[in-house]
């Protein structure tokens, strides 16, 4: 792509506060192209057929079913949207990856978490920071769902302060492998993954280092029980213990001491994707609430005629509209910035990393705002359903 063919004067990260944007430069869902519209349709179809129709299984801790749905998603190509074509993926742009993440998350947080953990933090560290050999070896399997990935950063004493982890990586005398020992917790997909991205400290390094670790119980890897969670009941979340787990030196991600940077940049992409993952639930909840409010008669009139109910529906619509508009506006800015960087000579890896990093402010705002909104929207929906809102059989 030449620099001329790429629009250069786009909004930079955080500039929405100080710079005017021509309205035609603000991307919304109405601007989706034909291919993206078709992709949205097939995603909705998959969700309705495979996920929504089986929501009880997700509520009832059917972890195996989550895995089966992930396998189906892999067969249908949903796990490969963001993966470059060279490694078996579709290599689609940032907006398309947001679109699939948005609509595939509409039925259940259990599947959404498994999907996000695999395609995001489980795969991205390799596509963004892996060597050619690492990418060739692992990414095609992750793109098809033949293998699943998980991400081991959090430890009992290291949560928000992620660089303070105690997991150690010790180089062997023959310098052929690292021996990893430590305890990780809250690891999504741990129960069924084939590969872990593991962060560990070498000697007394200031920063942790990332490693690709194949899941092999014979190699000192064991799991805790499934966490008893308040929600996303069929998303596998377990502790992972590494006891002198041998990892070949060629499985180090990027360079020694680069792990904290990898961890933070991967999570940055995850922030805006988490916002996207809260959109379709709001659309569905709002639609169901409107339907119910029109059907439910009290005081001889549909409850939709009451001012308080109208106000709730208005607030739900505001939340859904504002979140959707802001997410796709930022997504297109990121996609354009990546295109500019590629045109200027960055590799796609560098361009994607820097492109997303530049919009860290937007990614963070969206994560906070839209994840709060989905809770508020759902709460309003529960209220509109009255007593039925408290029933596990109601769609809320
Ligand atoms: C369902 C689920 C799935 C998860 N999946 C994964 C996974 O796949 N891989 C993985 O590595 N981790 C995973 N996590 C862990 C998650 O990343 C951590 O829970 C998160 O980083 C927060 O760490 P913490 O729970 O130790 O909270 P803490 O860091 O102990 O924070 C406790 C409270 O203190 C606040 N706080 C912390 N620091 C500051 C500060 N500087 N200023 C003000 N307030 C502060 C926090 O906001 C929070 O309110 C998962 C967690 C959950 C619940």
């Amino acid at each position: 792509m030449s620099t001329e063919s790429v629009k250069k004067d786009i909004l930079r990260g955080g500039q929405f506060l100080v710079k005017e944007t021509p309205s035609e430069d603000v991307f919304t869902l109405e601007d989706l192209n034909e291919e993206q519209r078709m992709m949205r349709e097939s995603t909705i179809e998959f969700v309705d057929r495979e996920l929504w129709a089986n929501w009880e299984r997700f509520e009832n801790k059917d972890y195996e079913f989550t895995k089966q749905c992930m396998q189906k998603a892999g067969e249908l190509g949903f796990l490969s949207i963001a993966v470059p074509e060279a490694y078996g993926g579709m290599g689609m742009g940032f907006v398309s990856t947001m679109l699939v993440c948005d609509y595939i998350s509409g039925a259940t947080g259990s599947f959404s978490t498994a999907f996000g953990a695999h395609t995001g933090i489980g795969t991205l560290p390799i596509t963004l920071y892996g060597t050619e050999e690492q990418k060739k070896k692992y990414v095609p399997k992750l793109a098809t769902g033949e293998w699943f990935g998980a991400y081991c950063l959090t430890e009992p004493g290291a949560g928000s302060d992620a660089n303070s982890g105690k997991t150690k990586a010790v180089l062997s005398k023959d310098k052929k492998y690292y021996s990893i020992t430590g305890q990780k917790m809250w690891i999504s997909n741990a129960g069924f993954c084939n590969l872990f991205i593991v962060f560990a400290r070498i000697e007394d390094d200031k920063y942790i280092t990332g490693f690709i670790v194949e899941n092999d119980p014979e190699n000192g890897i064991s799991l805790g029980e499934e966490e008893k969670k308040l929600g996303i009941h069929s998303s596998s979340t377990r502790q992972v213990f590494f006891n002198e787990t041998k990892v070949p030196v060629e499985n180090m991600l990027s360079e020694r001491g680069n792990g904290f940077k990898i961890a933070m940049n991967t999570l940055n992409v995850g922030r805006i994707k988490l916002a996207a993952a809260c959109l379709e639930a709001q659309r569905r909840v709002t639609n169901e609430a409107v339907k119910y409010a029109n059907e439910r008669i009290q005081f001889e009139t549909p409850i939709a005629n009451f001012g308080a109910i109208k106000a709730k529906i208005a607030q739900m619509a505001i939340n859904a509209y504002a979140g959707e508009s802001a997410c796709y506006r930022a997504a297109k800015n990121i996609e354009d910035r990546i295109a500019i960087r590629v045109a200027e000579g960055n590799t796609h890896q560098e361009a994607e990393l820097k492109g997303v990093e530049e919009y860290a402010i937007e990614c963070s705002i969206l994560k906070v705002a839209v994840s709060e909104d989905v809770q508020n929207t759902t709460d309003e929906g529960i209220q509109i359903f009255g007593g039925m809102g408290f029933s596990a059989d109601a769609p809320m």
Side-chain angles (χ1 to χ4, degrees):
M1 198 183 300
S2 78
T3 341
E4 286 73 36
S5 66
V6 177
K7 191 169 174 51
K8 293 195 86 175
D9 184 29
I10 64 162
L11 210 62
R12 309 293 292 250
Q15 269 189 341
F16 69 92
L17 284 170
V18 292
K19 192 175 169 213
E20 280 196 13
T21 315
S23 58
E24 62 271 21
D25 284 357
V26 176
F27 185 89
T28 67
L29 275 185
E30 286 67 29
D31 296 311
L32 293 178
N33 62 31
E34 195 50 37
E35 184 186 46
Q36 289 167 329
R37 282 168 200 270
M38 280 165 57
M39 215 162 66
R40 176 171 59 181
E41 287 315 306
S42 55
T43 310
I44 293 173
E45 201 186 302
F46 169 75
V47 169
D48 284 338
R49 191 183 62 238
E50 306 290 344
L51 310 183
W52 187 243
N54 294 300
W55 63 266
E56 274 178 323
R57 298 183 71 172
F58 291 110
E59 289 307 303
N60 292 331
K61 304 191 178 177
D62 194 340
Y63 300 103
E64 182 56 30
F65 185 61
T66 304
K67 181 183 175 186
Q68 286 167 16
C69 290
M70 284 289 288
Q71 280 163 337
K72 278 190 188 151
E75 285 159 19
L76 294 168
F78 292 121
L79 306 181
S80 71
I81 309 286
V83 173
E85 283 171 291
Y87 310 106
M90 296 192 198
M92 300 189 89
F94 200 78
V95 171
S96 300
T97 68
M98 285 280 283
L99 193 67
V100 170
C101 178
D102 170 353
Y103 284 90
I104 216 160
S105 303
T108 161
S110 295
F111 181 83
S112 175
T113 306
F115 177 85
H118 170 76
T119 56
I121 51 183
T123 302
L124 269 184
I126 310 180
T127 53
L128 293 179
Y129 289 97
T131 61
E132 198 50 35
E133 290 70 33
Q134 289 169 347
K135 285 191 276 193
K136 279 196 183 130
K137 183 169 179 190
Y138 295 112
V139 176
K141 287 182 181 161
L142 294 168
T144 55
E146 184 187 340
W147 275 30
F148 292 111
Y151 176 89
C152 295
L153 178 65
T154 306
E155 299 183 13
S160 306
D161 186 7
N163 192 47
S164 67
K166 297 208 174 352
T167 298
K168 284 277 172 202
V170 180
L171 187 60
S172 62
K173 283 202 177 101
D174 60 11
K175 296 187 176 9
K176 287 195 173 144
Y177 63 88
Y178 282 93
S179 175
I180 294 187
T181 300
Q183 178 183 1
K184 298 287 178 177
M185 70 185 299
W186 289 114
I187 306 309
S188 302
N189 293 354
F192 66 93
C193 74
N194 310 82
L195 168 161
F196 299 100
I197 305 295
V198 182
F199 296 93
R201 194 174 311 278
I202 301 172
E203 297 174 339
D204 289 324
D205 286 0
K206 186 172 177 196
Y207 293 110
I208 49 181
T209 299
F211 295 91
I212 304 168
V213 181
E214 294 184 21
N215 188 3
D216 175 7
E218 306 287 302
N219 187 17
I221 300 176
S222 56
L223 302 177
E225 291 297 310
E226 288 288 351
E227 297 290 345
K228 295 189 182 72
K229 304 193 294 295
L230 298 182
I232 52 171
H233 293 299
S234 292
S235 155
S236 173
T237 320
R238 299 171 79 156
Q239 295 200 40
V240 184
F241 302 91
F242 297 96
N243 185 10
E244 298 189 357
T245 301
K246 289 188 172 113
V247 182
V249 285
E250 58 270 22
N251 275 28
M252 181 189 285
L253 264 176
S254 180
E255 293 162 15
R256 176 173 173 174
N258 231 3
F260 189 54
K261 198 164 130 192
I262 298 173
M264 292 302 111
N265 279 333
T266 317
L267 291 173
N268 205 21
V269 180
R271 286 194 184 99
I272 189 166
K273 291 284 171 70
L274 191 135
C278 295
L279 293 175
E280 174 67 352
Q282 293 191 69
R283 296 186 199 99
R284 285 183 182 237
V285 160
T286 307
N287 284 335
E288 292 293 335
V290 168
K291 213 158 64 182
Y292 187 80
N294 280 320
E295 285 165 3
R296 175 72 175 163
I297 309 284
Q298 285 295 276
F299 302 97
E300 298 175 2
T301 182
I303 60 169
N305 288 330
F306 300 133
I309 300 289
K310 286 182 187 172
K312 287 184 194 305
I313 291 172
Q315 190 56 51
M316 294 164 84
I318 290 168
N319 292 348
Y321 179 69
E324 176 187 289
S325 306
C327 275
Y328 284 95
R329 175 185 182 175
K332 185 64 164 63
N333 283 153
I334 291 171
E335 184 169 294
D336 288 344
R337 180 61 60 197
I338 292 170
I340 290 169
R341 287 189 163 274
V342 169
E344 286 173 353
N346 277 182
T347 63
H348 191 84
Q349 267 170 303
E350 290 166 340
E352 188 159 346
L353 272 172
K354 290 287 167 197
V356 177
E357 200 180 321
E358 261 193 61
Y359 294 89
I361 294 173
E362 282 81 354
C363 294
S364 304
I365 290 173
L366 288 166
K367 177 182 177 182
V368 174
V370 187
S371 62
E372 294 285 322
D373 282 350
V374 72
Q375 293 192 58
N376 294 332
T377 301
T378 310
D379 186 48
E380 294 289 32
I382 288 170
Q383 304 311 323
I384 290 172
F385 269 71
M388 275 307 287
F390 201 59
S391 163
D393 290 331
M396 295 299 117

